[in-house]
């Protein structure tokens, strides 16, 4: 992924250090750590803090495909790992303060599945999917895809961190069954990340991962960062299992609305196939995820029940917050992308460029 434009003092210093040929010096890391601590102390809302969320996102990316021009040896640099741990501790504290976790049910797979289905059914977050189905313009569909691309172009990767962290048994087997589908069952052209790229290409958007990162708001980065937080920390294996369960359980119906919205504007089955595939696949996955993944994990490790529900509730909470922001912008005639950034949209996306400029985005 290309190195993005910084969004404040912490990301400016971090990206500068990552770009140095010899790696960060101890004195530079100390200064960066001090700056991040001040930023954490002073921020009014870390979930919406562009500087801190981008910094955490880039530190996490060192554990995925990396950043262009940054040495792979920095992935486990002690100073950078220490900085990541401090930022994610503050981030986790913020999540636990805003995410409402329901009363704990009995620690059995049946009770856990029942509670997860109840949470999914009671979810009354903003209906972005219904807006897309009935009202969204072509430019808004482009924005919708750009906002989702920060996760969808690497779909399944954050949850796959959980595979070696789960005990042998139902939960691990269920996770692998779900992930095998996400990765196309061994067929590259059926990988969900590839299918999402096909959809983006159909709307004249660039499909390179991270291409539009400078247009992505902090809250959307926070949603992606939550997956990495849960997946990369073994102590949070319950949260990543619950997160994936809720993710699958709240996907099928919205994707049917998304497909309807794209067809309404004349896009063909090649463009809508990503959504059509999820309508069918996630209807099956939700049962596996609730009963065998989340429920099976609680059967094996009952102490993980609170984190399983926390992970599930995090999906619902962050999706609702992002949906509110997105719909508020669109209903007010504004872009839902960041109001300042340096990303360069793909050639041919002139309508998106125009919409971004009209909204005050600086390309």
């Amino acid at each position: 992924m290309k190195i993005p434009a910084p969004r404040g003092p912490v990301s400016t210093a971090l990206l500068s250090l990552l770009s140095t040929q010899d790696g960060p010096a101890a004195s530079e890391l100390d200064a960066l750590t001090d700056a991040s601590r001040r930023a954490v102390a002073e921020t009014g809302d870390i979930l919406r803090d562009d500087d801190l969320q981008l910094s955490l996102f880039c530190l996490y990316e060192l554990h995925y495909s990396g950043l262009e021009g940054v040495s792979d040896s920095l992935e486990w640099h002690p100073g950078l790992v220490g900085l990541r741990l401090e930022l994610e501790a503050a981030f986790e504290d913020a999540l636990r303060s805003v995410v409402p976790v329901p009363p704990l049910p009995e620690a059995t797979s049946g009770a856990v599945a029942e509670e997860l289905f109840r949470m999914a059914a009671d979810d009354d977050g903003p209906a972005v999917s219904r807006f897309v189905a009935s009202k969204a313009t072509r430019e808004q569909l482009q924005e919708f895809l750009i906002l989702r691309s920060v996760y969808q172009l690497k779909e399944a990767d954050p949850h796959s961190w959980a595979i070696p962290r789960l005990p042998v048994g139902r939960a691990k087997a269920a996770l692998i069954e779900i992930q095998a589908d996400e990765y196309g069952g061994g067929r590259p052209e059926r990988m969900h990340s590839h299918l999402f790229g096909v959809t983006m290409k159909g709307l004249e958007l660039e499909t390179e991962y991270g291409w539009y990162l400078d247009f992505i708001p902090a809250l959307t980065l926070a949603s992606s960062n939550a997956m990495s937080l849960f997946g990369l920390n073994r102590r949070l294996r319950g949260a990543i299992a619950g997160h994936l369960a809720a993710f699958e359980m709240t996907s099928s119906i919205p994707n049917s609305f998304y497909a309807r919205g794209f067809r309404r504007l004349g896009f063909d089955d090649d463009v809508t196939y990503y959504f059509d595939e999820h309508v069918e696949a996630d209807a099956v996955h939700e049962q596996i995820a609730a009963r065998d993944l989340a429920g099976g994990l609680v059967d094996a490790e009952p102490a993980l029940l609170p984190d399983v529900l926390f992970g599930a509730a995090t999906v619902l909470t962050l999706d609702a917050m992002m949906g509110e922001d997105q719909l508020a912008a669109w209903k007010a005639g504004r872009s839902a992308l960041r109001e300042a950034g340096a990303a360069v949209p793909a050639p041919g996306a002139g309508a998106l460029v125009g919409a971004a400029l009209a909204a005050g985005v600086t390309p």
Side-chain angles (χ1 to χ4, degrees), residues 36-43 45-49 52-53 56 60 82-98 229 235 310:
S36 69
R37 288 171 180 168
R38 288 193 300 271
V40 167
E42 294 170 0
T43 187
D45 182 0
I46 194 172
L47 300 183
R48 297 181 185 274
D49 191 304
L52 294 177
Q53 288 299 332
L56 187 54
Y60 282 140
L83 174 63
R84 192 200 88 202
L85 291 174
E86 290 200 16
L87 288 175
E88 68 181 15
F91 179 46
E92 182 181 350
D93 286 345
L95 286 175
R96 291 190 182 276
S97 70
V98 302
L229 167 67
R235 65 181 177 83
F310 168 58

Side-chain angles (χ1 to χ4, degrees), residues 10 251 259:
V10 179
S251 173

Side-chain angles (χ1 to χ4, degrees), residues 6 27 55 70 110 137 139 147 150 156 187 210 223 242 277 290 319 324 352:
S27 59
S55 297
V70 176
T137 64
E139 290 77 17
L147 290 168
V150 73
R187 297 169 59 185
S223 178
E277 167 71 8
D319 279 358
E324 287 174 1
L352 173 63

Side-chain angles (χ1 to χ4, degrees), residues 132 136-145 203 262 265:
V132 167
T137 64
R138 185 180 189 277
E139 290 77 17
Q140 288 168 338
L141 292 186
Q142 288 178 312
E143 291 189 3
F144 167 76
L145 294 176
L203 273 80
F262 279 74
L265 292 182

Side-chain angles (χ1 to χ4, degrees), residues 14 17 64 97 123-124 167 262 290 315 331:
L14 172 63
L17 290 185
Y64 290 99
S97 70
D123 179 37
D124 58 354
F262 279 74
V315 175
K331 290 179 179 179

Side-chain angles (χ1 to χ4, degrees), residues 321-361:
M321 294 169 66
M322 291 187 296
E324 287 174 1
D325 287 0
Q326 197 169 336
L327 284 180
W330 286 351
K331 290 179 179 179
R334 295 183 285 105
S335 169
L337 305 178
R338 283 186 68 228
E339 293 183 353
V344 180
L352 173 63
V353 176
L357 289 174
V361 175

Side-chain angles (χ1 to χ4, degrees), residues 103-161:
L104 301 183
E106 184 181 357
T108 64
S109 59
V112 170
E114 182 178 345
E115 178 60 26
L116 290 173
F117 279 113
R118 185 202 63 77
M119 292 170 65
D122 289 350
D123 179 37
D124 58 354
V128 172
S129 61
R130 291 201 257 305
F131 186 94
V132 167
S134 61
K135 298 179 181 179
T137 64
R138 185 180 189 277
E139 290 77 17
Q140 288 168 338
L141 292 186
Q142 288 178 312
E143 291 189 3
F144 167 76
L145 294 176
I146 286 173
L147 290 168
R148 290 173 68 96
S149 69
V150 73
Y151 166 70
Q152 244 69 54
L153 288 177
K154 66 174 181 184
E155 185 170 356
D157 288 354
H159 296 112
S160 292
W161 291 115

